[in-house]
Amino acid sequence: MSISDLRSGLAANLETIPGLRVYAVLPDVVNPPSAMITLDKITYNRQMKQAMSEYMFKVTVVLGRVSERVAQQNLDLLVAPSGDSVKTAIESDRTLGGSAFDVFVPELSAYGAVSINGIDYLSAEFSVQVFAS
């Protein structure tokens, strides 16, 4: 297992959301609606004999411009705890294709405007906890 395998597994789960572009690595240009996956931190030795680590990822979803009413309605659907949401998609394969012991989304850590290339977009940032060797 590698960090790239975990990112790829998260990307595969997120690609089940219709119409969402998913980037397992940070893109040069963001083309909303999109989701970007970044590694936030690693806690080593979470189990006896150092067999498991805890990986914290951030998944940032960027939708339309802040001024678009439909963008907020769509973002509200994506941050819901069920349905075609980011949480549901990420947790749809809890082993990330066999690369992890478990994965879950403990929180939505940010919701609001983000400026990209001088344009304000609606975005949401999710914390994703992955346990893997």
Side-chain angles (χ1 to χ4, degrees), residues 8-23:
S8 294
L10 289 170
N13 286 2
L14 284 164
E15 287 169 350
T16 63
I17 298 174
L20 187 66
R21 292 174 191 85
V22 180
Y23 302 101

Side-chain angles (χ1 to χ4, degrees), residues 30 62 66 112-123:
V30 175
V62 179
V66 171
V114 63
S115 183
I116 301 172
N117 296 328
I119 300 171
D120 289 336
Y121 293 99
L122 276 175
S123 73

Side-chain angles (χ1 to χ4, degrees), residues 45-118:
N45 307 328
R46 293 298 285 180
Q47 185 180 24
M48 298 292 281
K49 299 184 184 176
Q50 305 168 355
M52 183 172 59
S53 295
E54 176 185 359
Y55 300 82
M56 291 300 294
F57 288 89
K58 292 288 184 191
V59 173
T60 305
V61 176
V62 179
L63 290 188
R65 294 175 185 233
V66 171
S67 60
E68 296 174 15
R69 191 177 317 194
V70 72
Q72 186 160 356
Q73 292 168 347
N74 290 338
L75 189 57
D76 287 347
L77 294 173
L78 289 176
V79 302
S82 60
D84 286 334
S85 71
V86 170
K87 178 180 174 22
T88 301
I90 288 174
E91 296 176 351
S92 65
D93 173 7
R94 298 195 60 146
T95 68
L96 301 178
S99 296
F101 298 121
D102 199 9
V103 61
F104 66 97
V105 180
E107 68 181 5
L108 167 72
S109 52
Y111 181 109
V114 63
S115 183
I116 301 172
N117 296 328

